[in-house]
């Protein structure tokens, strides 16, 4: 089955509407819905008193309609009775403000009463529905990521720190507490990072974010184990959300999930939304590498894109293109937030497959077409996306690069990684993500010819060794500035940057010279450096490009070091998108890496998954794609050879014969 549907909130509607819902779902070819994500107050109206009648009725009705259910545990939004009875279960901000109910996600994951209440409702649901014939997937919680700094969190944090560091001396050493007289002489002195006078200790903040990731994971695992015990055959997931505020290391969490599920909301109105879709799909596939790269798009917006401060309605065909793009990049389907647009509540204008206007609307009509396409693709979309190129992703480096006191306020981890991915995407290379912080990194690297590391600020000795072996064995490694700078505790690797990779790169960086916004530095190949420059000395590497301006004139800017049978490139300046793309094209040419399908018209995209080749025309004119051989259009069954024309805004999947 391909998942096609979305978050369904029947609790917001009278039961007559449910009848129409199921009829419309069948009309659109919906195969599955996420149910009960925010239904705690309807399921447990008073502590310990449960009302499952309505959920029984809708589960049965969906089952009768042939629609599967991803049944949620509603623990992301405790009801008001919970917070009144257990005020210690409310989260406290870094400023010491205890939040109260009135929104969602208002809980402290370290508070025993919250954990007990979450286990109780999860166990009730498990007991009642684990063998319901409509149940296809458990959807634990929603978008784990809530942050709390209360005393209960503090106690749990200390326990985690004792395990991580072993002793207070080791913690003091790892956190460099000699700086500003922060030496701890008793565990009880350590709190979560809270409002303080000036810059906090970055190692303290970093460890807190790691702790929070593990603490939230503990809450997930507790529910997962309850659900699994009730029926080991039903897979279990939780929907990942991404953002600078989210202290969840998804690469590590993925090992604990049966299915990696991701919420993804591109936020640009122009072609950047397509680049972002590709990025989200590729990153999710990386997290799902243990499952052959298969993951599930659990939420995206059916229609409106929230560009900052403004909604942007998707142009006709865009919903279909985005959905098929996630599918091509490894998703097991396409699910949306949400099925029916609500009449009220905080997100009353968020788009839905059935909007306020009702089914007689462009979005619902497009959903019907998409449902037909997905039905035709069912059973045919399988197998891996094979990529020769991988980009490094490391949540702790992102967290570390959010500290104050960095050499430039504009350093933006996500933007840096996105830029590398965008350059590879625009050149048409299939691109994966790898996670240098994971133990299995050495084995993972062996599948790639090129690995690019933007902003891999924190690196362990073991990861650095795995990357060295990758190059020695013939790989091409491209390292950007601010990579390899610190050990996992955030302590600088001394002797010249980038300490972890100096030998491998054959360079030594002795001085950083970040550029002011809007200024550039000339390079001797005619490109301009942006955002960043630094004084690089070579120690074995060949200089490919030099700085041509400022006090750096004549100094190395881009270098390449032959190491074993591979090459390690160092890119010291920031580059704009075009210059970065030209550079990565050059690396690809040297590494013998080709795009998925050469010769695509402008604004076209090709993605190969298993035996299928997906073609996307994001432009507003038709385009003709040269095909490597005879092929068959999957949906229509039509045979094509030589070339295929894709209409403006169109997407199609073909099988090469
Ligand atoms: C998230 C949540 C949904 C909804 C959407 C809105 O992904 O999981 O409940 O709030 O965002 O974009």
């Amino acid at each position: 089955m391909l998942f096609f549907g979305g978050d369904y909130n029947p609790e917001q509607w009278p039961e007559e509407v449910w009848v129409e819902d199921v009829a419309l779902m069948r009309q659109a070819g919906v195969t599955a819905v996420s149910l009960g994500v925010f239904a705690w107050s309807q399921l447990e109206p008073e502590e310990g008193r449960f009302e499952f009648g309505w959920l029984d009725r809708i589960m049965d009705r969906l089952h009768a309609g042939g629609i599967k259910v991803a049944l949620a545990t509603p623990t992301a939004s405790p009801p008001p009775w919970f917070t009144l009875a257990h005020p210690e279960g409310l989260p406290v901000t870094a400023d010491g403000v205890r939040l109260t109910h009135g929104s969602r996600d208002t809980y402290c994951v370290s508070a025993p009463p919250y954990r007990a209440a979450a286990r109780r409702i999860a166990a009730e649901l498990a007991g009642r529905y684990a063998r319901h014939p409509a149940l296809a997937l458990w959807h634990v919680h929603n978008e784990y990521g809530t942050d709390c700094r209360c005393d209960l969190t503090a106690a749990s944090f200390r326990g985690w720190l004792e395990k991580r560091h072993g002793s207070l001396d080791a913690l003091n050493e790892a956190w460099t507490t000699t700086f500003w007289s922060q030496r701890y002489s008793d565990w009880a002195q350590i709190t979560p990072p809270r409002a303080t006078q000036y810059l906090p200790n970055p190692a303290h903040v970093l460890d807190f974010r790691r702790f929070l990731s593990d603490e939230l994971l503990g809450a997930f695992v507790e529910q997962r184990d309850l659900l699994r015990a009730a029926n080991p055959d039903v897979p279990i997931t939780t929907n990942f959300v991404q953002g600078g505020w989210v202290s969840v290391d998804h690469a590590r969490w993925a090992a604990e999930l049966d299915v990696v599920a991701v919420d993804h909301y591109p936020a640009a109105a122009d072609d950047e939304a397509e680049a972002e879709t590709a990025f989200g799909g590729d990153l999710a596939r990386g997290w799902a590498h243990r499952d052959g790269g298969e993951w599930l798009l659990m939420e995206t917006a059916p229609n409106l894109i929230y560009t900052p401060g403004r909604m942007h309605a998707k142009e006709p065909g865009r919903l279909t293109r985005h959905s098929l793009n996630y599918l091509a990049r490894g998703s097991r389907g396409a699910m949306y937030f949400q099925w029916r647009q609500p009449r009220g509540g905080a997100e009353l204008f968020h788009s839905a497959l059935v909007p306020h206007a009702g089914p007689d609307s462009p979005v619902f009509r497009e959903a019907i077409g998409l449902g037909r396409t997905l039905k035709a693709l069912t059973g045919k979309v399988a197998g891996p996306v094979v990529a020769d190129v991988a980009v490094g992703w490391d949540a702790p480096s992102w967290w570390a690069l959010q500290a104050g006191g960095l050499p430039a306020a504009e350093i933006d981890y996500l933007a840096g990684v996105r830029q590398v991915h965008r350059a590879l995407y625009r050149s048409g290379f299939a691109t994966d993500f790898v996670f240098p912080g994971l133990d299995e990194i050495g084995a993972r690297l062996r599948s790639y010819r090129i690995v690019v590391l933007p902003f891999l600020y924190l690196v362990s000795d073991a990861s650095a060794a795995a990357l060295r072996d990758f190059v020695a064995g013939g790989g091409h490694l491209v390292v950007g500035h601010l990579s390899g700078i610190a050990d996992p505790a955030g302590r600088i690797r001394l002797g010249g940057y980038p300490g972890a990779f100096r030998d491998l790169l054959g360079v030594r960086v002795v001085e950083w010279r970040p550029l002011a916004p809007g200024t550039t530095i000339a390079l001797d190949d005619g490109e301009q450096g942006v955002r960043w420059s630094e004084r690089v000395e070579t120690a074995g590497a060949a200089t490919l490009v030099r700085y041509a301006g400022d006090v750096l004139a004549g100094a190395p800017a881009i270098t390449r070091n032959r190491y074993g049978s591979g090459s390690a490139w160092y890119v010291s300046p920031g580059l704009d998108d075009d210059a970065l793309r030209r550079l990565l094209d050059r690396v690809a040419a040297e590494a013998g890496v080709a795009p998925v399908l050469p010769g695509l018209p402008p604004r076209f995209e090709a993605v190969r998954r298993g035996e299928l080749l997906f073609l996307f025309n994001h432009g507003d004119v038709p385009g003709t794609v040269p095909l490597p051989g005879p092929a068959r259009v999957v949906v229509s069954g039509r045979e094509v050879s030589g070339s295929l024309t894709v209409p403006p805004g169109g997407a199609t999947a073909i099988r090469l014969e």
Side-chain angles (χ1 to χ4, degrees):
M1 169 184 102
L2 287 177
F3 281 78
F4 176 52
D7 275 46
Y8 178 40
N9 304 102
E11 69 276 17
Q12 295 173 6
W13 301 95
E15 298 201 17
E16 311 84 84
V17 179
W18 302 2
V19 179
E20 190 197 20
D21 281 331
V22 175
L24 291 174
M25 286 176 193
R26 289 176 62 86
Q27 191 186 347
V30 163
T31 60
V33 293
S34 304
L35 197 61
V37 179
F38 293 108
W40 197 345
S41 66
Q42 270 86 354
L43 291 170
E44 191 180 358
E46 284 169 42
E47 186 146 23
R49 183 170 72 76
F50 299 95
E51 281 185 5
F52 289 118
W54 68 269
L55 189 55
D56 292 350
R57 289 195 294 284
I58 190 65
M59 289 283 289
D60 293 348
R61 185 176 286 281
L62 288 163
H63 177 61
I67 293 155
K68 293 289 180 193
V69 173
L71 186 59
T73 64
T75 50
S77 202
W81 61 252
F82 170 80
T83 60
L84 291 169
H86 307 283
E88 73 277 34
L90 287 167
V92 175
T93 67
D95 293 326
V97 176
R98 193 174 283 277
L99 303 178
T100 189
H101 60 261
S103 181
R104 66 174 179 188
D105 294 303
T106 319
Y107 62 87
C108 164
V109 76
S110 303
Y114 168 73
R115 292 284 275 267
R119 282 194 303 268
R120 187 175 57 217
I121 185 76
E124 290 287 332
L125 287 163
R128 198 167 181 100
Y129 299 105
R131 302 204 174 260
H132 194 285
L135 182 67
L137 184 66
W138 286 111
H139 174 310
V140 175
H141 201 87
N142 191 66
E143 299 191 335
Y144 277 103
T146 302
D147 182 310
C148 174
R149 312 286 168 111
C150 75
D151 290 341
L152 294 169
T153 306
S156 192
F157 181 39
R158 285 181 208 117
W160 182 91
L161 288 169
E162 277 201 65
K163 274 203 210 101
R164 181 173 176 87
H165 295 283
S167 71
L168 258 189
D169 282 348
L171 177 141
N172 279 307
E173 178 61 28
W175 288 11
T176 319
T177 54
T178 43
F179 196 84
W180 286 349
S181 175
Q182 290 175 356
R183 195 173 170 79
Y184 295 102
S185 54
D186 190 317
W187 289 101
Q189 296 158 0
I190 304 175
T191 65
R194 290 175 174 160
T196 188
Q197 178 64 19
Y198 180 45
L199 295 177
N201 182 329
H204 178 194
V205 175
L206 179 61
D207 262 357
F208 184 72
R209 298 199 69 169
R210 288 192 175 111
F211 152 76
L212 214 50
S213 180
D214 287 353
E215 187 80 339
L216 291 162
L217 181 60
F220 165 78
V221 164
E222 222 166 64
Q223 289 197 35
R224 179 200 66 189
D225 292 349
L226 277 168
L227 300 170
R228 196 172 271 169
N231 183 353
D233 296 332
V234 179
I236 302 170
T237 192
T238 182
N239 50 340
F240 286 172
V241 60
Q242 204 191 38
W245 55 276
V246 179
S247 294
V248 166
D249 190 340
H250 298 111
R252 288 181 190 283
W253 275 55
E256 303 292 339
L257 272 54
D258 296 327
V259 174
V260 168
V262 171
D263 296 352
H264 196 251
Y265 290 88
D270 59 9
D271 279 10
E272 183 58 12
E274 278 68 44
E276 220 179 321
T277 300
F279 167 79
D282 288 346
L283 183 54
R285 191 177 64 251
W287 288 327
H289 67 90
R290 294 176 193 84
D291 287 333
E294 295 207 335
W295 57 284
L296 175 61
L297 175 74
M298 188 62 94
E299 288 182 27
T300 192
N303 189 6
L304 298 170
I305 302 180
Y306 279 84
T307 55
R310 183 159 287 87
M311 293 175 172
H312 176 92
K314 285 184 184 167
E315 294 70 12
R318 213 171 187 188
L319 163 63
T320 305
R321 281 204 321 283
H322 284 190
S323 305
L324 295 182
N325 204 292
Y326 292 116
L327 190 74
R329 290 172 192 279
S331 181
R332 300 161 189 253
M335 303 278 280
Y336 308 90
F337 183 83
Q338 55 202 318
W339 165 250
R340 189 182 275 277
Q341 202 167 19
R343 292 196 75 173
E347 292 181 330
L348 74 171
F349 297 117
H350 197 290
S351 66
L353 291 168
V354 181
H356 291 148
D360 184 8
S361 55
V363 63
F364 191 71
R365 280 191 286 275
E366 188 164 339
I368 293 174
L370 176 55
R372 264 192 230 118
T373 301
L374 291 172
K375 190 166 180 199
L377 289 170
T378 299
K380 300 181 179 129
V381 195
V385 173
V386 177
D388 290 326
V389 185
V391 179
W393 175 269
D394 185 53
S397 289
W398 188 3
W399 301 337
L401 289 176
Q402 288 175 33
L406 295 177
E410 301 81 21
I411 292 167
D412 183 338
Y413 177 87
L414 183 60
V417 178
R418 286 278 335 271
Q419 196 200 14
V420 166
H421 183 271
R422 189 164 53 240
L424 296 163
Y425 161 80
R426 294 218 191 285
S427 286
F429 300 119
T431 301
D432 276 353
F433 279 88
V434 289
F435 310 100
L438 298 188
D439 293 342
E440 63 259 33
I441 184 63
R444 285 270 287 145
L445 289 173
R446 283 199 276 280
S447 355
Y448 303 101
R449 301 183 64 79
I450 301 176
V451 171
V452 189
L453 301 179
F455 289 151
L456 185 67
Y457 178 76
L458 306 171
V459 188
S460 68
D461 292 347
S463 307
L467 288 156
R468 264 200 306 278
D469 290 348
F470 164 72
V471 180
H476 293 253
L477 182 71
V478 183
V479 177
H481 61 253
L482 281 171
S483 295
I485 304 300
D487 69 11
R491 282 170 307 199
I492 299 301
R493 293 171 173 277
L494 302 176
Y497 311 122
F501 303 131
R502 243 178 3 238
D503 293 347
L504 174 58
L505 295 168
V507 300
R508 181 164 168 267
V509 177
V510 294
E511 189 176 75
W512 284 340
R513 305 182 68 84
L515 301 173
T519 63
T520 58
I521 183 166
L523 304 176
D524 74 354
D525 62 350
E527 308 279 10
Q528 298 288 322
V530 292
R531 298 184 293 276
W532 191 264
S533 67
E534 47 184 29
R535 188 175 291 281
V536 181
E537 297 172 357
T538 49
T543 299
L544 305 178
V545 178
R546 292 179 187 276
Y547 287 102
D550 186 33
V551 298
L552 295 178
I558 299 177
T559 61
R560 184 187 53 213
N561 195 35
R562 303 287 185 202
Y563 187 93
S565 17
S567 304
W569 304 60
Y570 185 57
V571 187
S572 138
L575 296 175
D576 67 23
D577 281 10
D578 290 338
L580 180 64
R581 184 175 161 188
R582 281 189 284 271
L583 176 70
L584 293 175
D585 284 352
R586 177 175 174 183
V587 177
E590 283 198 20
V593 170
V596 175
L597 193 63
L600 289 177
R603 299 179 72 191
F604 259 69
E605 186 184 340
V607 186
R608 208 171 181 144
R609 178 174 176 191
E611 292 179 348
L612 300 190
L613 179 68
F614 288 81
L615 297 168
F616 300 92
N617 181 356
H618 302 305
D620 35 30
V621 291
T624 299
V625 178
L627 297 178
R632 189 181 289 276
V633 177
V634 180
V635 173
S636 67
R638 186 165 64 92
E639 282 181 32
V640 283
S641 66
S643 65
L644 177 70
T645 300
V646 184
T652 189
I654 60 175
R655 182 195 297 274
L656 296 169
E657 306 285 349

